[in-house]
Amino acid sequence: MDDRVRERIRVAGVVQGVGFRPFVYTLARELGLTGFVGNDVHGVFVFAEGPPSLLERFRTALSEQAPPLAVVDEITATAIEPRGDETFEIALSDSSGQRATLVSADSATCVDCLAELGDPGDRRYRYPFLNCTNCGPRFTIVTDVPYDRPLTTMAPFEMCADCAAEYHDPTNRRFHAQPVCCPACGPELRLTDSTGAVLPGDPLDRTVAALRDGEIVALKGLGGYHLAVDAANPDAAATLRKRKHREEKPFAVMAPDVAWARTLCEIDEHERELLESRRGAIVLLDRRPDAAVAEAVAPGNRQLGVMLPYTPLHHLLLAATGPIVLTSANLSDEPIAYRDAEARERLAEIADVFLGHDRGIHMRTDDSVVRSFDGRELPVRRSRGLVPEPVRLRRELPRPVLACGAELKNTFCVAKGSNAFVSHHIGDLENYETLRSFTEGIEHFERLFDIAPEVVAHDLHPEYLSTKYAAEREDVELVGVQHHHAHIASCLADNGESGPVLGVAFDGLGFGTDGTIWGGEFLLADLADFRRLAHLERVPMPGGDRAVKQPWRMAVSQLLSCYGTEPPGGLEVLRRNEPQLSVITRMCEGGVNAPRTSSAGRLFDAVAAILGIRDAVSYEGQAAIELEQLADREERGHYPVALPASGTLPDPVAAGAASPPLSVPAGQLVRAVVDELRAGQRGEVIAGRFHNGVAELIARLCERLRDATGVGEVALSGGVFQNTLLLRRAVDALRRRGFRVLLHSNVPTNDGGICLGQVAIAGERDRRGGNSPERG
Ligand SMILES: [Zn+2]
Ligand SMILES: [Zn+2]
């Protein structure tokens, strides 16, 4: 036994609750190694003994052949004295001490489970809750750590003898699969009316019949309830839209499989991968003109959000129905309903029947939404299936950080070491329900990942509920982070970079360091600090928040700033709003209740209203989204903007009032839009040229800023870059000029990604030994 060696091997990452120990066990036995494998607070540990060449193969296989749900971050091996074990075994879990284990995300039904679901000879044939170590619920059912059955919502279900045998057998696919169950011992489906009275008959068959009859079904999923209707039934879709009140956002559709999805949308190779990913996200796809989907599903939209079945229940249902609408079960602006009684109460006026079950949901989690861009994934909403997988930080944080995020599309982040745990989508922090989700979510994450934040980062906006929450935390160091700096830092962290970079932050509204409202910003930024080099010229926002809801107000404001009180004749937007024009004009001119903003989002709103797309919106950014929908994507012309002469550029080194940021005359784009509109040009062409004009403006200004700073990397972030036409044109225009362009791929470009930037900034300042206030 001379050539035998023994190693202590550590595997870090998402390696618990994902079948890693059985995998190690099987691998070691195949190679004839002896020793044991176990879980502890730091991840998986292995003691393995055998010939050096086999140990090397073993270590390579540990990362290369890891189970599908595992994420191996690091493998370290230390040689120790051989002991002469005779077998290889699985050691019992050790759950004492400090927690460092990673809970994995919920995962779509795996191929093996699907095969069992459709096999009449299998004891789980057509069982809606089957799962294994490679798939099933995780984050949504975990109530506490360590991840073990008693600390999940499966705790009340006692395993039958068959399930227990599988659970304890290291060679079985269900070894230590915490949610393991079967028809004999697991959860059951239940079809009820809104009073909770159980309806007779087979729940699944009756649900299929209800959908066929055009009824609205409230369906309990992994992270909460959905509302479902037959996607091809115009009356059902229209009724659902009506009952959900004021809701104008497009509904997502679940298609039975990729072939079905291809009848609805154009799907390339990367998009197919996104659809079939175990994350089960909604993928935004270009809709086919002949898609058999009711008009009310996504009115006037070129795109459709499509997902595939990601639970056994979905698979069983969809096999009998064809595509269904599957939209979060809530009234507008409320969080998704997830508790049975609460769902029945809140949805009583919306749903006809309720298909629920007795497996509890602990953490409500919306569907994730992603899209493909240049063959990479752009997250739009990062939630079920992705959370709580951490984003890895390039450098370790000196102290644990909590970042509270922003106000709209809120997410928060708790971070320690090099792991940043970005939360699931919380929503708009403007009512009690979402605020409760936010505070309970933070408590849950802190416990789950054993993080006690010593540094708390927040937005500079004093009225955000997330800022107020931060101020109430005791015994922590508070770090205020400017909104657009956070956007750019988020993009840097998303790419594992630290800058300096030219940051183009285009979004709705964010509080500036000068107390004004920003949103069309060109920053020179790194993770510690930034300088505001330029911004879109400021215009009044008459009525403040009301101008967000009523884009026509921004149109009037832009027209006033372009033409004074003598705008050219024939503009419909002015005629339509004639009765209120004099009031709005006075607000703009007097500066009363009309804060000035450099927001790019509001510029898009103004142009949408001028083109007659809409005067009022039901959700933030709606007019801008519809402007993108209108634009002719083949149009290559663009409206020019004359940039100020080079001599007026700010000195990037000198700070303070001596060198104010450059104001970019974006109003020239508005003039061009007005000229072409009056000349009878088609709206599709104007919208296209406007988009191209904004992209050219970005690229040409960045060129100037590169000359002044020597920085040749550009980071694009902010909600406006969810507009893929603008993003496409801006990326192309920048690359043509030799820029390296950084985009998001782990967190959204919208405010849902802000918290990651806040973490990166708070950490970097902490590392440098002081949290100086943002100065811009
Ligand atoms: Zn499975
Ligand atoms: Zn069982």
Side-chain angles (χ1 to χ4, degrees):
M1 305 288 275
D2 297 341
D3 59 344
R4 283 178 76 88
V5 292
R6 186 178 179 87
E7 288 182 353
R8 184 176 61 223
I9 301 171
R10 282 233 151 259
V11 188
V14 182
V15 289
Q16 297 188 335
V18 294
F20 207 86
R21 284 176 305 162
F23 155 69
V24 173
Y25 172 88
T26 310
L27 184 67
R29 291 206 160 199
E30 274 170 16
L31 291 172
L33 301 176
T34 60
F36 56 96
V37 55
N39 271 342
D40 69 4
V41 293
H42 303 291
V44 162
F45 62 86
V46 189
F47 286 85
E49 198 169 315
S53 63
L54 289 183
L55 272 168
E56 194 181 326
R57 270 172 61 192
F58 178 68
R59 273 186 271 107
T60 309
L62 281 183
S63 62
E64 288 181 357
Q65 296 168 26
L69 293 193
V71 181
V72 175
D73 287 330
E74 196 177 24
I75 295 178
T76 48
T78 318
I80 53 174
E81 195 62 28
R83 255 182 27 180
D85 294 332
E86 307 215 325
T87 56
F88 195 92
E89 302 298 340
I90 294 180
L92 289 175
S93 275
D94 173 7
S95 60
S96 62
Q98 200 196 8
R99 301 163 186 160
T101 56
L102 304 185
V103 174
S104 64
D106 299 76
S107 180
T109 312
C110 75
V111 176
D112 293 332
C113 283
L114 266 187
E116 292 171 352
L117 189 68
D119 174 5
D122 192 278
R123 67 191 189 91
R124 293 189 179 87
Y125 175 57
R126 293 184 65 76
Y127 180 56
F129 304 96
L130 93 170
N131 63 78
C132 72
T133 38
N134 300 325
C135 73
R138 293 288 187 280
F139 173 67
T140 51
I141 62 165
V142 172
T143 56
D144 205 344
V145 281
Y147 174 58
D148 212 353
R149 184 144 169 143
L151 296 176
T152 71
T153 60
M154 283 300 289
F157 300 96
E158 196 182 331
M159 277 182 230
C160 67
D162 289 342
C163 285
E166 293 171 330
Y167 181 89
H168 292 293
D169 174 4
T171 63
N172 193 283
R173 201 172 90 246
R174 295 194 164 87
F175 177 71
H176 276 225
Q178 305 306 342
V180 69
C181 58
C182 75
C185 65
E188 288 175 10
L189 280 183
R190 216 165 29 197
L191 189 72
T192 68
D193 63 16
S194 64
T195 68
V198 175
L199 301 172
D202 178 70
L204 207 60
D205 291 346
R206 286 216 41 178
T207 302
V208 171
L211 289 168
R212 287 213 181 109
D213 291 345
E215 292 187 7
I216 298 175
V217 177
L219 187 68
K220 189 172 179 181
L222 276 182
Y225 273 81
H226 283 109
L227 291 164
V229 293
D230 176 355
N233 183 327
D235 293 339
T239 304
L240 174 58
R241 198 162 277 289
K242 200 167 70 209
R243 291 192 197 163
K244 275 193 90 179
H245 297 305
R246 292 183 293 116
E247 179 71 76
E248 294 193 31
K249 290 179 188 171
F251 293 148
V253 168
M254 180 176 273
D257 53 33
V258 172
W260 258 108
R262 285 192 198 280
T263 69
L264 307 177
C265 295
E266 305 292 344
I267 298 170
D268 69 21
E269 197 46 31
H270 183 240
E271 288 165 335
R272 185 192 58 75
E273 275 174 33
L274 293 179
L275 273 174
E276 292 189 321
S277 154
R278 59 184 175 75
R279 295 157 158 189
I282 295 169
V283 185
L284 297 180
L285 299 165
D286 285 337
R287 176 181 186 159
R288 289 171 58 98
D290 58 350
V293 168
E295 169 61 22
V297 172
N301 222 294
R302 284 184 200 221
Q303 291 209 309
L304 200 58
V306 180
M307 59 187 139
L308 298 184
Y310 55 82
T311 68
L313 176 56
H314 293 143
H315 280 283
L316 293 170
L317 202 57
L318 273 281
T321 61
I324 58 173
V325 164
L326 209 57
T327 184
S328 297
N330 53 0
L331 290 174
S332 307
D333 307 333
E334 285 180 0
I336 184 169
Y338 72 115
R339 293 198 166 107
D340 301 320
E342 171 215 14
R344 283 195 301 269
E345 190 186 314
R346 279 169 60 193
L347 306 174
E349 305 295 314
I350 304 179
D352 298 306
V353 291
F354 293 73
L355 183 60
H357 54 75
D358 48 354
R359 186 179 71 204
I361 298 171
H362 185 71
M363 262 292 122
R364 81 171 110 212
T365 317
D366 291 84
D367 293 316
S368 290
V369 183
V370 301
R371 63 168 23 125
S372 169
F373 182 84
D374 270 356
R376 67 191 276 153
E377 182 176 359
L378 292 187
V380 176
R381 185 166 70 197
R382 189 180 181 278
S383 214
R384 179 195 46 77
L386 287 109
V387 172
E389 276 172 22
V391 178
R392 304 285 289 185
L393 299 170
R394 191 158 159 265
R395 298 183 63 187
E396 295 223 345
L397 296 168
R399 289 188 287 172
V401 178
L402 162 69
C404 299
E407 176 96 332
L408 300 178
K409 299 184 171 74
N410 177 276
T411 60
F412 61 84
C413 180
V414 291
K416 185 167 76 173
S418 53
N419 284 330
F421 298 94
V422 176
S423 79
H424 50 301
H425 169 81
I426 301 292
D428 299 348
L429 284 186
E430 49 192 19
N431 60 47
Y432 173 73
E433 272 286 291
T434 37
L435 184 64
R436 199 168 58 100
S437 270
F438 172 78
T439 54
E440 290 178 357
I442 290 174
E443 283 168 31
H444 189 58
F445 268 61
E446 288 179 358
R447 214 173 38 245
L448 221 49
F449 305 111
D450 191 33
I451 296 178
E454 293 171 35
V455 177
V456 174
H458 60 83
D459 197 272
L460 291 184
H461 200 305
E463 292 305 314
Y464 281 180
L465 292 179
S466 56
T467 306
K468 291 181 171 173
Y469 170 85
E472 285 170 9
R473 294 277 303 215
E474 286 170 4
D475 302 323
V476 294
E477 183 176 335
L478 290 180
V479 184
V481 178
Q482 199 280 325
H483 192 89
H484 302 96
H485 185 204
H487 268 306
I488 300 305
S490 157
C491 188
L492 284 170
D494 198 329
N495 287 278
E497 304 214 6
S498 51
V501 71
L502 296 174
V504 183
F506 274 22
D507 72 349
L509 304 170
F511 206 78
T513 51
D514 58 359
T516 71
I517 302 167
W518 298 6
E521 311 305 313
F522 294 80
L523 313 176
L524 174 63
D526 59 21
L527 294 181
D529 210 349
F530 76 101
R531 280 265 296 145
R532 191 188 196 198
L533 299 182
H535 57 77
L536 301 186
E537 68 187 349
R538 285 181 286 235
V539 297
M541 207 164 60
D545 282 347
R546 297 192 68 184
V548 178
K549 296 265 183 337
Q550 299 176 16
W552 70 270
R553 290 172 180 246
M554 291 313 301
V556 172
S557 174
Q558 282 285 357
L559 291 170
L560 280 169
S561 113
C562 288
Y563 302 101
T565 48
E566 298 290 327
L571 287 174
E572 288 295 328
V573 66
L574 299 180
R575 196 169 302 156
R576 285 195 303 272
N577 297 287
E578 175 69 45
Q580 297 178 77
L581 269 190
S582 58
V583 176
I584 298 303
T585 304
R586 274 202 305 278
M587 281 173 124
C588 288
E589 287 177 338
V592 179
N593 193 19
R596 297 171 79 79
T597 182
S598 54
S599 165
R602 298 290 85 78
L603 173 65
F604 275 76
D605 278 359
V607 170
I610 291 171
L611 289 182
I613 291 172
R614 63 169 56 244
D615 283 346
V617 297
S618 68
Y619 59 93
E620 207 251 352
Q622 186 182 10
I625 288 167
E626 290 171 2
L627 180 65
E628 180 193 0
Q629 297 288 332
L630 177 70
D632 181 347
R633 295 182 105 84
E634 303 303 314
E635 177 58 43
R636 295 291 148 167
H638 73 268
Y639 301 136
V641 173
L643 296 177
S646 304
T648 58
L649 274 173
D651 177 347
V653 183
S659 178
L662 185 71
S663 176
V664 182
Q668 291 177 26
L669 294 167
V670 176
R671 279 179 177 271
V673 166
V674 169
D675 288 348
E676 290 233 290
L677 185 64
R678 296 182 72 230
Q681 183 58 272
R682 290 189 305 123
E684 290 83 349
V685 173
I686 299 177
R689 291 179 179 169
F690 170 74
H691 276 82
N692 301 345
V694 174
E696 279 293 309
L697 180 161
I698 289 170
R700 286 182 46 230
L701 186 56
C702 283
E703 214 170 14
R704 292 276 189 85
L705 299 175
R706 178 173 58 191
D707 291 345
T709 62
V711 174
E713 280 83 46
V714 174
L716 301 178
S717 192
V720 167
F721 289 111
Q722 286 179 106
N723 179 328
T724 48
L725 176 59
L726 177 67
L727 187 66
R728 175 78 275 155
R729 295 289 192 265
V731 167
D732 290 349
L734 285 162
R735 286 188 183 147
R736 272 201 304 277
R737 288 168 172 84
F739 282 102
R740 199 166 67 89
V741 184
L742 302 181
L743 305 176
H744 285 275
S745 61
N746 286 300
V747 296
T749 191
N750 59 46
D751 284 6
I754 283 253
C755 61
L756 179 64
Q758 292 175 338
V759 161
I761 291 167
E764 184 62 24
R765 292 198 191 150
D766 202 17
R767 191 172 298 119
R768 294 185 188 187
N771 264 301
S772 56
E774 296 269 49
R775 59 186 166 87

Coordinates of all heavy atoms in Angstrom, one line a residue, residues 367-406:
D367 N -42.6 34.6 -10.8 CA -41.8 34.0 -11.9 C -40.7 34.9 -12.2 O -40.8 36.2 -12.2 CB -42.7 33.8 -13.1 CG -43.8 32.7 -12.9 OD1 -43.4 31.7 -12.3 OD2 -45.0 33.0 -13.2
S368 N -39.6 34.4 -12.6 CA -38.5 35.2 -13.2 C -38.8 35.5 -14.6 O -39.5 34.7 -15.3 CB -37.2 34.4 -13.1 OG -36.8 34.3 -11.8
V369 N -38.3 36.6 -15.1 CA -38.4 37.0 -16.5 C -37.1 37.3 -17.1 O -36.3 38.0 -16.5 CB -39.3 38.2 -16.7 CG1 -39.6 38.6 -18.1 CG2 -40.7 38.0 -15.9
V370 N -36.8 36.7 -18.3 CA -35.5 36.9 -18.9 C -35.7 37.1 -20.4 O -36.8 36.8 -20.9 CB -34.5 35.7 -18.7 CG1 -34.3 35.4 -17.2 CG2 -35.1 34.4 -19.4
R371 N -34.7 37.6 -21.1 CA -34.7 37.7 -22.5 C -33.3 37.4 -23.0 O -32.3 37.5 -22.3 CB -35.2 39.0 -23.0 CG -34.4 40.2 -22.6 CD -34.7 41.5 -23.3 NE -36.0 41.7 -23.8 CZ -36.8 42.7 -23.5 NH1 -36.4 43.6 -22.6 NH2 -38.0 42.8 -24.1
S372 N -33.2 37.1 -24.3 CA -31.9 36.9 -24.9 C -31.4 38.1 -25.7 O -32.2 38.7 -26.4 CB -32.1 35.7 -25.9 OG -30.9 35.5 -26.6
F373 N -30.2 38.4 -25.5 CA -29.6 39.5 -26.3 C -28.2 39.2 -26.6 O -27.4 38.9 -25.8 CB -29.6 40.8 -25.4 CG -29.1 42.0 -26.1 CD1 -29.9 42.8 -26.9 CD2 -27.8 42.4 -26.0 CE1 -29.5 43.9 -27.6 CE2 -27.3 43.5 -26.7 CZ -28.1 44.3 -27.5
D374 N -27.9 39.1 -27.9 CA -26.5 38.8 -28.4 C -26.1 37.4 -27.8 O -25.0 37.2 -27.4 CB -25.5 39.8 -27.9 CG -25.3 40.9 -28.9 OD1 -25.9 40.8 -30.0 OD2 -24.5 41.8 -28.6
G375 N -27.0 36.5 -27.7 CA -26.7 35.2 -27.1 C -26.4 35.2 -25.7 O -25.9 34.2 -25.2
R376 N -26.7 36.3 -25.0 CA -26.5 36.2 -23.5 C -27.9 36.5 -22.9 O -28.8 37.0 -23.5 CB -25.5 37.2 -23.0 CG -25.9 38.7 -23.2 CD -24.8 39.6 -23.0 NE -24.6 39.9 -21.6 CZ -23.4 40.3 -21.1 NH1 -22.3 40.3 -21.9 NH2 -23.3 40.6 -19.8
E377 N -28.0 36.1 -21.6 CA -29.2 36.3 -20.9 C -29.3 37.6 -20.2 O -28.4 38.1 -19.5 CB -29.3 35.2 -19.8 CG -30.5 35.2 -19.0 CD -30.5 34.0 -18.0 OE1 -29.6 33.2 -18.0 OE2 -31.5 33.9 -17.3
L378 N -30.4 38.4 -20.5 CA -30.7 39.6 -19.8 C -31.8 39.4 -18.8 O -32.9 39.2 -19.3 CB -31.1 40.7 -20.8 CG -30.1 41.3 -21.8 CD1 -30.7 42.5 -22.5 CD2 -28.8 41.7 -21.1
P379 N -31.6 39.4 -17.5 CA -32.7 39.2 -16.6 C -33.5 40.5 -16.6 O -33.0 41.6 -16.6 CB -32.0 39.0 -15.2 CG -30.5 39.1 -15.5 CD -30.3 39.6 -16.8
V380 N -34.8 40.3 -16.6 CA -35.7 41.4 -16.4 C -36.3 41.4 -15.0 O -36.4 42.5 -14.4 CB -36.9 41.3 -17.5 CG1 -37.9 42.5 -17.3 CG2 -36.3 41.4 -18.9
R381 N -36.6 40.2 -14.5 CA -37.0 40.1 -13.1 C -36.4 38.8 -12.7 O -36.5 37.7 -13.2 CB -38.5 39.9 -13.0 CG -39.0 39.9 -11.6 CD -40.5 40.1 -11.5 NE -41.3 39.0 -12.1 CZ -42.6 39.1 -12.4 NH1 -43.2 40.2 -12.3 NH2 -43.2 38.0 -12.9
R382 N -35.6 38.9 -11.6 CA -34.8 37.8 -11.1 C -35.5 37.3 -9.8 O -35.5 37.9 -8.8 CB -33.4 38.3 -10.7 CG -32.4 37.2 -10.4 CD -31.1 37.8 -10.1 NE -30.1 36.8 -9.8 CZ -29.9 36.2 -8.6 NH1 -30.7 36.6 -7.6 NH2 -29.0 35.3 -8.4
S383 N -36.1 36.1 -10.0 CA -36.9 35.6 -8.8 C -36.9 34.1 -8.8 O -35.8 33.5 -8.8 CB -38.3 36.2 -8.9 OG -38.9 36.4 -7.6
R384 N -38.1 33.4 -8.9 CA -38.1 32.0 -8.7 C -37.2 31.3 -9.7 O -37.2 31.6 -10.9 CB -39.6 31.4 -8.9 CG -39.7 29.9 -8.8 CD -41.0 29.4 -9.3 NE -41.4 29.9 -10.6 CZ -40.8 29.6 -11.8 NH1 -39.9 28.7 -11.8 NH2 -41.2 30.2 -12.9
G385 N -36.5 30.3 -9.2 CA -35.6 29.5 -10.1 C -34.2 30.1 -10.1 O -33.3 29.4 -10.5
L386 N -34.0 31.3 -9.8 CA -32.7 31.9 -9.8 C -32.3 32.3 -8.3 O -31.1 32.2 -8.0 CB -32.7 33.2 -10.6 CG -32.7 32.9 -12.1 CD1 -34.0 33.4 -12.7 CD2 -31.5 33.7 -12.8
V387 N -33.3 32.7 -7.6 CA -33.0 33.1 -6.2 C -33.1 31.8 -5.3 O -34.0 31.0 -5.5 CB -34.1 34.1 -5.7 CG1 -34.0 34.4 -4.2 CG2 -33.9 35.4 -6.5
P388 N -32.2 31.6 -4.3 CA -31.2 32.5 -3.8 C -29.8 32.3 -4.2 O -28.9 32.5 -3.5 CB -31.3 32.3 -2.3 CG -31.6 30.8 -2.2 CD -32.3 30.4 -3.5
E389 N -29.6 31.8 -5.5 CA -28.2 31.6 -5.9 C -27.4 32.9 -5.8 O -27.9 33.9 -6.3 CB -28.2 31.1 -7.4 CG -28.4 29.6 -7.5 CD -28.5 29.2 -8.9 OE1 -28.1 29.9 -9.8 OE2 -29.1 28.1 -9.1
P390 N -26.3 32.9 -5.1 CA -25.5 34.1 -4.9 C -24.9 34.6 -6.2 O -24.5 33.9 -7.1 CB -24.5 33.8 -3.9 CG -24.3 32.3 -4.1 CD -25.6 31.7 -4.5
V391 N -24.7 35.9 -6.3 CA -23.8 36.5 -7.3 C -22.5 36.6 -6.6 O -22.3 37.1 -5.4 CB -24.3 38.0 -7.7 CG1 -23.3 38.6 -8.6 CG2 -25.7 37.9 -8.2
R392 N -21.4 36.1 -7.3 CA -20.1 36.1 -6.7 C -19.4 37.5 -6.8 O -19.4 38.0 -7.9 CB -19.2 35.1 -7.3 CG -19.8 33.7 -7.3 CD -19.7 33.1 -5.9 NE -18.3 32.7 -5.5 CZ -17.9 32.1 -4.4 NH1 -18.9 31.8 -3.5 NH2 -16.7 31.8 -4.2
L393 N -18.9 38.0 -5.7 CA -18.3 39.3 -5.8 C -16.8 39.1 -6.1 O -16.2 38.1 -5.7 CB -18.4 40.1 -4.4 CG -19.8 40.4 -4.0 CD1 -19.9 40.9 -2.6 CD2 -20.4 41.4 -5.0
R394 N -16.2 40.0 -6.8 CA -14.8 39.8 -7.2 C -13.9 39.9 -6.0 O -12.9 39.1 -5.9 CB -14.4 41.0 -8.1 CG -13.1 40.8 -8.8 CD -13.1 41.6 -10.1 NE -11.7 41.8 -10.5 CZ -11.0 42.9 -10.2 NH1 -11.6 43.9 -9.5 NH2 -9.8 43.0 -10.6
R395 N -14.2 40.7 -5.0 CA -13.4 40.8 -3.8 C -14.2 40.6 -2.6 O -15.4 41.0 -2.5 CB -12.7 42.2 -3.7 CG -11.7 42.4 -4.9 CD -11.0 43.7 -4.8 NE -10.1 43.8 -3.6 CZ -9.5 44.9 -3.2 NH1 -9.6 46.0 -3.9 NH2 -8.7 44.8 -2.1
E396 N -13.6 40.0 -1.6 CA -14.3 39.7 -0.3 C -14.7 41.0 0.4 O -14.0 42.0 0.4 CB -13.5 38.9 0.6 CG -13.2 37.5 0.1 CD -13.3 36.4 1.1 OE1 -13.4 36.8 2.3 OE2 -13.4 35.2 0.7
L397 N -15.9 41.0 1.0 CA -16.3 42.2 1.7 C -15.7 42.2 3.1 O -15.6 41.1 3.7 CB -17.8 42.1 1.9 CG -18.7 42.2 0.7 CD1 -20.2 41.8 1.0 CD2 -18.6 43.6 0.1
P398 N -15.2 43.3 3.6 CA -14.6 43.4 4.9 C -15.6 43.0 6.0 O -15.3 42.3 7.0 CB -14.1 44.8 5.0 CG -14.1 45.4 3.7 CD -15.1 44.6 2.9
R399 N -16.8 43.5 5.8 CA -17.9 43.3 6.8 C -19.2 42.9 6.1 O -19.4 43.4 4.9 CB -18.1 44.6 7.7 CG -17.0 44.9 8.6 CD -17.4 46.0 9.6 NE -17.4 47.3 8.8 CZ -17.8 48.5 9.4 NH1 -18.3 48.5 10.6 NH2 -17.8 49.6 8.7
P400 N -20.1 42.2 6.8 CA -21.3 41.9 6.1 C -22.2 43.1 5.8 O -22.2 44.1 6.6 CB -22.1 41.0 7.2 CG -21.0 40.6 8.2 CD -19.9 41.7 8.1
V401 N -22.8 43.1 4.7 CA -23.6 44.2 4.2 C -25.0 43.8 3.9 O -25.3 42.7 3.4 CB -23.0 44.8 2.9 CG1 -23.8 45.9 2.3 CG2 -21.5 45.2 3.1
L402 N -26.0 44.7 4.2 CA -27.3 44.7 3.8 C -27.5 45.9 2.8 O -27.2 47.0 3.2 CB -28.3 44.7 4.9 CG -29.8 45.1 4.5 CD1 -30.4 44.0 3.7 CD2 -30.6 45.4 5.8
A403 N -28.0 45.6 1.6 CA -28.4 46.7 0.7 C -29.9 46.7 0.6 O -30.5 45.7 0.2 CB -27.7 46.6 -0.6
C404 N -30.5 47.9 0.8 CA -32.0 47.9 0.8 C -32.6 48.1 -0.5 O -33.9 48.1 -0.6 CB -32.4 49.0 1.8 SG -31.9 48.6 3.5
G405 N -31.8 48.4 -1.6 CA -32.4 48.6 -2.9 C -33.1 49.9 -3.1 O -32.8 50.9 -2.3
A406 N -34.0 50.0 -4.0 CA -34.7 51.3 -4.3 C -36.2 51.1 -4.0 O -36.5 50.5 -3.0 CB -34.5 51.7 -5.8

